[in-house]
């Protein structure tokens, strides 16, 4: 969650050169499909906050030691899961014991910032589909819809330039947070526009429905619903604003 340094999942040496990991994590995307996961765990039992953490690689196929409980969503599908680790074996660390915080921060900076350069190719395709749907439904003639489509295009272009500019600037504490704030909100607004341009059809799911997928979604509905999480995962908008406030603007620290 937001208080990542409060991690309580713990790992102890297993006597065979690896670790035994015990703890739990909710909202683990695609854990049911994954062969491996990475776990930030406390390897120094006396440590606090961001000290004494290690970044561990864990194989998922460990019956009795790892249990994955799917979280059923309103749509009937389960992309997210709660994962329980009970002495799960981790064979190795990334970056060595005790260096987990640095590895995790490097990974989060990538997820929030530079990785979005590739993601924006997908964003551009989604925007193309929304523009085509607006033309097909006739809503592209509505001046408000037109203005919002143009704005989405201009903002996507701005995001792409920001991502390119920050490619070579490692160590800029604000850049990944600025990127995350830009694309999270942008993607949500595109989702809202996608269902709006579809008109009444945007509110109705396509058939056939099944027991396993009771609410089949078209691409616009999928974009609308799943983009709600974009301002949460990878660090919420509030956390990105705190990072910019404290590390870039030098404002007083948020009361903890
Ligand atoms: C779709 C989805 C997929 C995810 N996938 C994964 C995954 O694969 N692996 C994984 O490890 N995690 C995953 N997560 C978890 C995600 O990282 C957390 O949900 C996120 O960091 C927020 O933490 P939280 O849910 O514990 O909310 P909390 O931390 O409890 O936050 C609740 C609210 O309080 C606000 N808040 C918290 N602290 C502060 C503060 N100091 N100042 C101001 N506001 C604050 C938050 O912004 C938020 O609005 C996923 C989440 C979602 C929604």
């Amino acid at each position: 969650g937001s208080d990542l340094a409060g991690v309580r999942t713990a790992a102890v040496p297993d006597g065979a050169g690896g670790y035994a990991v015990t703890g739990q994590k909710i909202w683990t995307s695609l854990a049911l499909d994954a062969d491996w996961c990475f776990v930030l765990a406390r390897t120094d039992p006396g440590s606090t906050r961001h000290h004494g953490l290690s970044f561990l690689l864990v194989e998922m196929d460990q019956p009795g030691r790892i249990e994955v409980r799917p979280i059923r969503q309103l749509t009937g599908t389960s992309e997210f899961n709660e994962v329980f680790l009970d002495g799960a074996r981790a064979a190795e660390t990334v970056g060595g014991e005790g260096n987990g915080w640095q590895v995790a921060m490097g990974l989060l900076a990538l997820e929030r910032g530079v990785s979005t350069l590739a993601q924006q190719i997908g964003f551009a395709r989604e925007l193309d589909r929304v523009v085509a749907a607006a033309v097909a439904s006739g809503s592209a003639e509505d001046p408000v819809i037109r203005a919002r489509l143009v704005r989405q295009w201009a903002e996507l272009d701005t995001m792409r330039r920001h991502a390119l500019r920050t490619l070579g600037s490692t160590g800029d504490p604000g850049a990944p947070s600025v990127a995350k704030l830009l694309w999270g909100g942008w993607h949500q607004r595109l989702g809202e526009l996608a269902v709006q341009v579809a008109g009444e059809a945007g509110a109705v799911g396509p058939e056939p429905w099944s027991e396993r997928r009771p609410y089949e979604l078209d691409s616009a509905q999928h974009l609308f619903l799943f983009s709600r999480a974009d301002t949460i995962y990878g660090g919420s908008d509030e956390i990105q604003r705190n990072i910019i406030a404290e590390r870039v603007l030098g404002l007083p620290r948020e009361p903890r």
Side-chain angles (χ1 to χ4, degrees):
S2 302
D3 185 21
L4 187 57
V7 61
R8 278 178 290 166
T9 291
V12 293
D14 65 358
Y19 298 87
V21 193
T22 300
Q24 74 189 71
K25 178 76 184 84
I26 197 168
W27 305 127
T28 312
S29 303
L30 302 172
L32 213 50
D33 304 309
D35 295 322
W36 288 80
C37 71
F38 56 79
V39 178
L40 187 66
R42 200 162 289 288
T43 41
D44 177 353
S47 63
T48 55
R49 305 303 297 164
H50 55 276
H51 303 287
L53 301 172
S54 299
F55 197 98
L56 304 170
L57 297 182
V58 177
E59 222 167 339
M60 293 299 282
D61 188 16
Q62 300 193 42
R65 293 181 178 169
I66 298 186
E67 188 193 342
V68 178
R69 292 189 200 160
I71 299 168
R72 194 175 150 90
Q73 296 153 195
L74 276 173
T75 51
T77 55
S78 297
E79 279 84 2
F80 318 112
N81 308 267
E82 188 159 20
V83 178
F84 295 84
L85 307 159
D86 184 8
R89 186 171 150 72
E92 52 189 318
T93 71
V94 177
E97 188 173 306
N99 298 320
W101 186 255
Q102 290 86 329
V103 179
M105 288 305 103
L107 179 79
L108 277 175
L110 183 81
E111 183 182 356
R112 291 167 182 164
V114 169
S115 71
T116 61
L117 199 50
Q119 193 179 337
Q120 284 168 35
I121 298 168
F123 286 174
R125 289 200 187 119
E126 286 175 340
L127 178 57
D128 285 347
R129 277 201 293 273
V130 175
V131 170
V135 171
S137 71
S139 59
E141 291 176 31
D142 177 333
V144 176
I145 298 282
R146 291 170 78 88
R148 284 169 63 191
L149 287 170
V150 171
R151 191 188 167 110
Q152 289 296 129
W153 183 89
E155 287 178 348
L156 182 59
D157 195 55
T158 308
M159 286 193 296
R160 197 175 69 86
R161 286 164 201 270
H162 173 76
L164 284 170
R165 193 173 63 81
T166 55
L167 256 183
S169 64
T170 51
D172 176 348
S177 296
V178 170
K180 177 85 207 311
L181 282 172
L182 285 175
W183 68 254
W186 182 90
H187 206 215
Q188 284 186 350
R189 289 193 296 280
L190 185 68
E192 288 156 16
L193 203 45
V195 287
Q196 206 176 339
V197 301
E200 288 169 5
V204 184
E207 291 191 76
W209 296 348
S210 67
E211 182 65 23
R212 208 174 83 78
R213 300 178 72 91
Y215 300 98
E216 204 65 58
L217 302 173
D218 65 26
S219 63
Q221 292 161 344
H222 192 274
L223 171 59
F224 171 70
L225 287 176
F226 282 77
S227 62
R228 307 321 295 170
D230 288 341
T231 51
I232 303 173
Y233 67 79
S236 69
D237 273 13
E238 289 78 11
I239 295 303
Q240 306 315 316
R241 290 195 197 99
N242 274 351
I243 291 171
I244 293 169
E246 293 172 12
R247 297 198 209 146
V248 180
L249 300 178
L251 299 182
R253 279 179 73 80
E254 172 98 346
R256 308 263 184 231

